Amino acid sequence: MVRQKIIAGNWKMNGNKELVDAFNRKKFTNTSATVIILPPAPYIQLFTNNTIEIGIQNFHPNANGALTGEVGIQNLQDLRPTLKWALIGHSERRTLFNETDTFLQEKLNSLLTSTSEISAIICCGEEEGQDRKQVLKRQIMSYFSYQEPDPLRIVIAYEPVWAIGTGKVATPSIVQEAHQYIRSLIKDSFGSEIADEMRIIYGGSVNVSNSSIILAIDGVDGFLIGGASLNIDDFSTIIDSIHML
Ligand code: PGA
């Protein structure tokens, strides 16, 4: 099964208007990949480049309410059609903002049951020293405890926490084993059709020197890129490396 690759850039709390302008000027014409940028929320509507899809890094599962500072599901609907993706369960949200498996499952459920048609990139991954399979099983099964995963609306990002922003990229065998394991979890619970269609992408210190090696690993359908997505040349080079496979 050929799955369309996803190259997503998570700017986190970085970037500025100049970077948005630079991305607006650049045409990403590699049809083998869907290019996604997740900028800080205030920049979402500044993107005018139809070769990039835009995502939001965070939202609250409630439609609206007295939650100062939060962006609710109803607000996301008004960012359509620019907004197409939402990130859920990034390790920084889990650790720095205490988002639990239950809360993340609520976010996913509320996004998928809203009328927004926004798709989700859901993150999973173990911390240093944790049992990888145990963590992945707990996180993945928690996301899908309400509904079966729709491969058209969900992309899974495997991001070992120890590889995020550290320069310590996971070895090809770890990446392959983790991706295979996640796909097997989906297959065992929801069948091989859904498992075959599901995009599973890797994140954690992806850069221009390691991207083609990781992308060549069986079962890797693209990347969630932090640091290297802030450099438009590096980000473009990574996208172009898909041609070389
Ligand atoms: P990194 O971040 O590429 O800077 O390691 C990845 C991420 O946080 O998604």
Side-chain angles (χ1 to χ4, degrees):
M1 150 118 232
V2 179
R3 293 178 292 265
Q4 168 82 359
K5 298 269 188 290
I6 300 256
I7 307 290
N10 173 16
W11 286 6
K12 310 191 181 185
M13 203 172 71
N14 298 303
N16 51 32
K17 172 102 177 31
E18 284 71 47
L19 192 61
V20 175
D21 292 341
F23 271 81
N24 277 337
R25 284 191 299 269
K26 176 96 191 162
K27 294 289 167 231
F28 294 96
T29 50
N30 187 341
T31 51
S32 315
T34 300
V35 177
I36 303 170
I37 291 291
L38 302 123
Y43 298 145
I44 286 172
Q45 289 196 299
L46 300 182
F47 278 85
T48 53
N49 183 340
N50 62 12
T51 64
I52 303 175
E53 298 192 358
I54 302 302
I56 192 160
Q57 296 172 21
N58 183 41
F59 63 94
H60 195 281
N62 289 6
N64 46 40
L67 290 162
T68 301
E70 291 295 312
V71 172
I73 284 285
Q74 210 157 289
N75 307 122
L76 299 197
Q77 297 192 176
D78 292 335
L79 292 174
R80 292 278 302 159
T82 308
L83 186 68
K84 291 204 169 57
W85 296 89
L87 190 63
I88 298 176
H90 190 279
S91 73
E92 285 151 23
R93 298 298 313 174
R94 289 176 186 269
T95 54
L96 303 173
F97 300 94
N98 304 316
E99 295 193 359
T100 60
D101 284 336
T102 310
F103 185 68
L104 297 170
Q105 187 270 323
E106 208 183 311
K107 284 173 94 166
L108 179 63
N109 193 49
S110 122
L111 186 77
L112 296 181
T113 54
S114 72
T115 54
S116 69
E117 292 176 11
I118 293 167
S119 300
I121 300 175
I122 57 172
C123 305
C124 57
E126 78 285 1
E127 287 176 34
E128 186 108 66
Q130 284 183 327
D131 182 321
R132 179 172 309 118
K133 288 190 174 173
Q134 205 174 43
V135 172
L136 292 178
K137 187 170 191 177
R138 194 198 75 230
Q139 293 178 339
I140 295 289
M141 297 329 284
S142 169
Y143 280 126
F144 300 134
S145 46
Y146 275 178
Q147 72 264 307
E148 56 170 44
D150 175 355
L152 297 176
R153 292 278 305 273
I154 295 173
V155 170
I156 300 174
Y158 168 61
E159 297 204 299
V161 180
W162 47 268
I164 296 177
T166 56
K168 274 204 267 177
V169 70
T171 62
S173 66
I174 292 178
V175 176
Q176 183 160 19
E177 186 198 277
H179 281 238
Q180 268 170 4
Y181 182 64
I182 293 166
R183 209 174 293 285
S184 76
L185 287 173
I186 307 285
K187 186 176 170 204
D188 292 348
S189 300
F190 306 107
S192 47
E193 205 176 312
I194 291 178
D196 285 349
E197 275 182 58
M198 183 65 66
R199 264 89 55 89
I200 305 176
I201 62 178
Y202 169 80
S205 296
V206 173
N207 60 35
V208 286
S209 346
N210 58 31
S211 60
S212 27
I213 298 165
I214 306 172
L215 211 48
I217 298 168
D218 192 37
V220 174
D221 300 312
F223 296 129
L224 181 57
I225 305 171
S229 70
L230 294 166
N231 180 316
I232 192 164
D233 294 331
D234 285 1
F235 190 67
S236 309
T237 304
I238 294 170
I239 291 164
D240 290 341
S241 68
I242 295 178
H243 280 312
M244 295 187 287
L245 292 179

